Amino acid sequence: CMSSHEDYLREVSSGKYTHIVGADEVGFGAWAGPVLVCAAAVPIDWKPPKALNDSKKVTERLRNELFDLHRDRVAYACAMASSKEIDRDGVYN
């Protein structure tokens, strides 16, 4: 039986895709306040810089340098929902 991780790796390496998209959020667990969601699409052959192995340990200076270095190769978008929008529409919407 193949694990889902192995299935994912096989699918990604199949040659059918040019990019991989990842997304993350901040604020989802808070009981009040906004939620911010960002997504990035990187070329399938993109290798993250070694310094980017733990985002919580990256300094603001290094984060800005990495952003400047990679912003032309990485498509990204961010969206925010206010607490009023979340109360009205629910956090999943």
Side-chain angles (χ1 to χ4, degrees), residues 46-65:
W46 185 76
K47 300 285 188 240
K50 195 167 193 156
L52 196 58
N53 63 356
D54 186 344
S55 64
K56 293 183 178 23
K57 294 181 181 177
V58 175
T59 65
E60 182 178 0
R61 180 179 174 197
L62 180 56
R63 183 174 56 245
N64 290 333
E65 288 175 11

Side-chain angles (χ1 to χ4, degrees), residues 51-85:
L52 196 58
N53 63 356
D54 186 344
S55 64
K56 293 183 178 23
K57 294 181 181 177
V58 175
T59 65
E60 182 178 0
R61 180 179 174 197
L62 180 56
R63 183 174 56 245
N64 290 333
E65 288 175 11
L66 292 170
F67 177 77
D68 290 342
L69 183 64
H70 293 286
R71 74 170 140 206
D72 293 335
R73 291 198 70 206
V74 177
Y76 64 93
C78 297
M80 184 179 287
S82 69
S83 56
K84 287 182 181 181
E85 290 173 296

Side-chain angles (χ1 to χ4, degrees), residues 8-56:
Y8 167 79
L9 292 176
R10 187 177 341 100
E11 182 72 16
V12 167
S13 62
S14 69
K16 295 189 285 186
Y17 304 100
T18 60
H19 288 73
I20 296 176
V21 176
D24 201 4
E25 52 71 30
V26 64
F28 182 80
W31 64 272
V35 172
L36 174 68
V37 177
C38 295
V42 297
I44 199 89
D45 62 347
W46 185 76
K47 300 285 188 240
K50 195 167 193 156
L52 196 58
N53 63 356
D54 186 344
S55 64
K56 293 183 178 23

